[in-house]
Amino acid sequence: MKRNFCLDIGGSFIKLGIGEGNDLEEIASAPTPSHYEAFLARTVETLLTGGLRPGDRLGISIAGSIDADNGSVHAAQLPFLAGVSFAGDLGTALAELLAEPMHDGIVVENDADCFAMAEAHFGAGRGFDNVFAVILGTGVGGAQVYRGQLLRGFGGTAGEWGHGPFIQKQDPSVPGFVPQFACACGQKGCINTIGGARGLEAMHAAAGNPLLDSRQIVDGWAGGDPACSATITAYVSVLSDALALTINITGAQIVPVGGGLSNASALLSAIDSEVRGKTLLARSKPLVIEGQTGQNGGLWGIHAQLLNEAQPA
Ligand SMILES: [Zn+2]
């Protein structure tokens, strides 16, 4: 059986796991260098030290969007990847050192897509046909897996529920006010601007409160602090509006959540309860739940994708 060499590349760490069938073992983790040449060298070294051979399959989960035309990666945390063909350069370097190219090429997928695959095949989405995975991390992400396959959509944008001018202009003096922040995508009022940890913090500060990190705001809410409670109430309300609409459109049966905020279980329960009050069909069981693949979602997800691609069509 071929081994799946699975890399998870984030802003802080490069992780390597080796997967076979339903098993995957993380075998190495190294800090992510901040320059391209060092980054490429570290990636090659991690793979060769791990025992990569040309007949193995190689897949990469990366925290960024992948250009469908040329394979280049746009990643806020990995700015040195802009304009370079990372997979192409990696393939060339490996072919030289291994004396032949990787037989099956190199598969590169976005980390939110990998998280969705991980949850659908190995996590909270097992047994469901239609899984919509949500990332509440520094920002907001999402991806959909239908009958085990990733839905990509136009330009790979399927599942990107965090973008679009969703939050409307409101009167700041009215309770529940949510600011219409500018988003990096060029729109104003995207869920991405308030839904992740940085957005929650910006929302709280915009209401005239002292700067707190997302954990302090969530803890303050749980402890009954009025300012934190006002922020979380407004946050859960607008986030659940958008997520309920997304669930209606996608017909998702289960919504596993990953990213730093997914560990705040009381917050996730509050989101789940409000979402279930807003979806078209009533659900008797929790719908928005914490994912099960956690920190290794990228590794499990790229493993699932490599297994999928290995199956004859
Ligand atoms: Zn946006």
Side-chain angles (χ1 to χ4, degrees):
M1 186 188 281
K2 284 195 179 196
R3 299 179 301 171
N4 288 344
F5 273 66
C6 306
L7 279 175
D8 181 9
I9 296 178
S12 306
F13 290 98
I14 297 173
K15 292 195 286 189
L16 173 65
I18 299 178
E20 286 187 88
N22 287 327
D23 295 321
L24 181 137
E25 191 183 353
E26 184 185 341
I27 61 160
S29 175
T32 309
S34 55
H35 298 284
Y36 184 57
E37 286 72 25
F39 169 76
L40 191 59
R42 172 83 37 94
T43 307
V44 168
E45 181 197 337
T46 304
L47 287 167
L48 295 185
T49 306
L52 180 76
R53 295 189 297 256
D56 296 317
R57 284 188 290 257
L58 174 55
I60 302 170
S61 165
I62 197 157
S65 61
I66 296 139
D67 190 311
D69 292 331
N70 59 19
S72 69
V73 178
H74 305 274
Q77 293 176 299
L78 307 161
F80 50 82
L81 289 180
V84 299
S85 172
F86 168 52
D89 292 345
L90 179 61
T92 303
L94 289 173
E96 273 179 28
L97 291 161
L98 294 169
E100 57 180 306
M102 296 302 294
H103 300 175
D104 296 326
I106 301 174
V107 173
V108 185
E109 299 286 358
N110 161 267
D111 59 343
D113 288 346
C114 285
F115 174 66
M117 283 296 282
E119 288 299 318
H121 288 263
F122 299 110
R126 264 175 308 180
F128 294 98
D129 270 350
N130 194 349
V131 179
F132 191 88
V134 162
I135 307 273
L136 300 178
T138 52
V140 169
Q144 189 176 6
V145 173
Y146 185 68
R147 295 194 171 162
Q149 306 282 331
L150 206 47
L151 293 187
R152 297 183 186 276
F154 179 66
T157 55
E160 293 284 3
W161 71 293
H163 293 283
F166 190 81
I167 298 160
Q168 299 302 300
K169 234 189 177 97
Q170 300 166 24
D171 181 347
S173 65
V174 173
F177 169 73
V178 180
Q180 207 182 30
F181 293 127
C183 183
C185 76
Q187 302 280 350
K188 265 164 81 174
C190 294
I191 287 297
N192 184 56
T193 65
I194 63 103
R198 298 296 87 76
L200 179 60
E201 290 156 7
M203 239 181 100
H204 191 67
N209 297 307
L211 281 178
L212 293 181
D213 69 30
S214 60
R215 192 149 296 277
Q216 291 171 312
I217 299 167
V218 172
D219 287 348
W221 162 68
D225 174 79
C228 293
S229 299
T231 299
I232 293 289
T233 300
Y235 169 87
V236 171
S237 174
V238 74
L239 190 86
S240 61
D241 284 352
L243 193 49
L245 179 62
T246 302
I247 289 163
N248 285 346
I249 293 169
T250 57
Q253 294 162 299
I254 193 78
V255 182
V257 183
L261 287 176
S262 70
N263 300 327
S265 55
L267 180 66
L268 220 52
S269 295
I271 294 170
D272 174 60
S273 154
E274 203 154 324
V275 163
R276 284 198 281 146
K278 292 172 178 171
T279 50
L280 185 58
L281 294 181
R283 323 269 179 145
S284 56
K285 290 182 183 162
L287 173 64
V288 182
I289 59 170
E290 187 179 354
Q292 294 173 354
T293 56
Q295 293 295 314
N296 280 337
L299 294 178
W300 280 103
I302 198 69
H303 176 50
Q305 184 63 21
L306 288 171
L307 288 175
N308 253 18
E309 294 194 7
Q311 280 173 3

